[in-house]
Amino acid sequence: MLSHAPGDTLGHRLDPRTKLALQSAVAAVALARPTPAWLVVLTVGCLLALRGCGLSVRAVYAEYRGALPFLLVAPLAGALRFGPPWVDPAGARGPLLAVYRTLLLLALAAAYVRTTSPRESRAAITRLVPGRAGRFLGLGVMLVFRFLPLLQSDLRRLREGSWVRLGDERRVDRRLAHLAVGALERTFRRADALALALRARCLSWNPTPPALAFARRDYAALGAAGALVAAAIAL
């Protein structure tokens, strides 16, 4: 499951603000330079980032397997034509590059979630965005990071329970309706329990954040991100 896991990898030791800066740099370059040559450079960087976080490509994209078919729709739609020759492979080039950029950003997002605790994410966003807006945004991000893994676990158990009861022999629309209704019911239950837990713990808008400090490895990573952006601008 795609959630935070304690560890001692390089990704775990980096400051969360550094990891956010790296993701922003890669996203900016991917959008500004959507060429195959630059995508190769970004691919190498993403592979190094996954290795530094103790993740494999197979494990990361196994978490996104539900979204991958939807991403492939864009290249297929771009290649189709309403008249002869009906299929134009050149039309799929742009959407295919866009899908590949999306996959790279999803890999970096998985690495960030895996190596950054919700409290660290909240502290980083609070420091980057000043005032009440930053506290509100940090709290929202923290709750999402804590809430989504629970919903994923509930949905997986619901699907496994349906399979045990021969749910895979039902019609597709009935299977989807069963999973949708069950997922919504469990989501509302989780939301009620979360609201009660927050009131019981006297949720604070300005809690004591974890200590964040830049180290040499952070400056090196920020320098690499800056060099990447500068090269994309200059070349």
Side-chain angles (χ1 to χ4, degrees), residues 16-34:
R17 293 168 293 180
T18 301
K19 288 180 276 190
L20 290 175
L22 287 171
Q23 291 185 81
S24 301
V26 172
V29 174
L31 292 175
R33 298 288 185 177

Side-chain angles (χ1 to χ4, degrees), residues 82-231:
F82 291 103
W86 301 104
V87 177
D88 182 15
R93 183 178 184 274
L96 189 60
L97 292 177
V99 169
Y100 192 78
R101 295 198 304 266
T102 303
L103 293 176
L104 293 179
L105 297 180
L106 287 176
L108 288 180
Y112 177 86
V113 172
R114 189 71 171 177
T115 59
T116 311
S117 68
R119 290 185 69 244
E120 290 176 334
S121 296
R122 181 180 183 180
I125 293 174
T126 302
R127 293 193 180 188
L128 292 174
V129 182
R132 184 179 293 274
R135 294 196 297 271
F136 182 78
L137 183 60
L139 175 62
V141 170
M142 185 187 72
L143 293 180
V144 168
F145 282 173
R146 291 186 183 276
F147 201 53
L148 280 183
L150 297 177
L151 296 182
Q152 287 180 324
S153 177
D154 289 341
L155 183 59
R156 186 179 65 252
R157 288 199 297 267
L158 184 64
R159 187 171 60 244
E160 291 173 352
S162 178
W163 289 344
V164 170
R165 296 174 177 85
L166 302 180
D168 55 339
E169 298 182 1
R170 299 179 180 177
R171 287 177 6 199
V172 176
D173 57 340
R174 292 186 177 181
R175 277 184 280 170
L176 292 176
H178 173 72
L179 291 176
V181 172
L184 284 175
E185 181 183 2
R186 298 193 180 198
T187 300
F188 288 132
R189 288 181 182 176
R190 289 287 187 184
D192 291 338
L194 176 63
L196 179 60
L198 292 178
R199 291 196 300 269
R201 290 170 174 80
C202 300
L203 175 67
S204 174
W205 282 94
N206 191 23
T208 302
L212 298 180
F214 289 113
R216 291 183 179 179
R217 53 181 173 269
D218 294 290
Y219 292 115
L222 291 173
L228 180 64
V229 174

Side-chain angles (χ1 to χ4, degrees), residues 16-63:
R17 293 168 293 180
T18 301
K19 288 180 276 190
L20 290 175
L22 287 171
Q23 291 185 81
S24 301
V26 172
V29 174
L31 292 175
R33 298 288 185 177
T35 61
W38 275 103
L39 291 179
V40 170
V41 174
L42 296 179
T43 300
V44 173
C46 289
L47 291 176
L48 292 175
L50 291 179
R51 185 176 180 84
C53 296
L55 291 171
S56 66
V57 175
R58 182 177 180 180
V60 167
Y61 289 111
E63 296 292 337

